[in-house]
């Protein structure tokens, strides 16, 4: 079936914190470690912990954040997580990134794996 972008909006986001788990990676057509991070996070209980986190600012949103790109080796940091209040305490075994107030994109993609990713 493939995948199709069915909705897209740009919204404003207050200063907040991403709480979750991250990996450093390079994504190629042959190797994409991001789906494995999501699979592991579902199976090891990380997603459930994040879904029940008290300091969330968007209750129904899980995010995948990309940043800290290094042009020399083409690596970037990918974090799976939730958006939380800036003063939220980070649970043991998780990590965080502080985000300033900014704009962000919200997209809905419908399709089948692996095209969905």
């Amino acid at each position: 079936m493939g995948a199709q972008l069915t909705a897209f909006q740009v919204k404003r986001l207050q200063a907040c914190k991403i709480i979750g788990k991250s990996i450093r990676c390079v994504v190629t057509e042959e190797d994409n470690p991001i789906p494995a991070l999501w699979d592991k996070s579902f199976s090891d209980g990380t997603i459930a912990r994040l879904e029940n986190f008290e300091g969330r600012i968007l209750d129904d949103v899980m995010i995948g954040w990309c940043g800290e790109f290094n042009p020399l080796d083409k690596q970037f940091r990918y974090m799976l997580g939730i958006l939380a209040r800036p003063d939220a305490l980070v649970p043991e075994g998780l990590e965080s990134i502080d985000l300033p107030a900014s704009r962000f994109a919200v997209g809905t993609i419908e399709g089948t794996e692996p095209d969905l990713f």
Side-chain angles (χ1 to χ4, degrees):
M1 173 184 166
Q4 182 176 2
L5 180 66
T6 59
F8 182 82
Q9 296 177 320
V10 176
K11 297 185 176 187
R12 301 231 27 99
L13 181 67
Q14 65 196 25
C16 63
K17 177 181 290 192
I18 302 171
I19 296 177
K21 286 190 174 181
S22 72
I23 55 174
R24 295 277 317 158
C25 59
V26 175
V27 174
T28 66
E29 282 193 38
E30 298 81 32
D31 185 34
N32 180 354
I34 295 170
L37 175 64
W38 281 89
D39 288 344
K40 183 174 190 255
S41 296
F42 274 107
S43 66
D44 70 9
T46 299
I47 298 290
R49 284 179 69 195
L50 292 169
E51 287 177 334
N52 295 312
F53 186 74
E54 295 271 337
R56 288 179 80 171
I57 60 172
L58 298 172
D59 289 335
D60 59 347
V61 174
M62 295 291 299
I63 66 163
W65 178 88
C66 299
E68 301 172 6
F69 178 71
N70 181 340
L72 297 176
D73 62 8
K74 309 238 184 304
Q75 283 194 7
F76 62 95
R77 182 176 180 187
Y78 179 87
M79 179 174 267
L80 165 161
I82 53 146
L83 297 174
R85 294 186 320 262
D87 62 346
L89 298 177
V90 180
E92 187 175 331
L94 299 176
E95 55 196 286
S96 69
I97 299 170
D98 292 325
L99 296 178
S102 58
R103 296 183 312 159
F104 71 105
V106 178
T108 301
I109 302 171
E110 295 180 7
T112 55
E113 294 183 24
D115 300 319
L116 190 57
F117 298 117

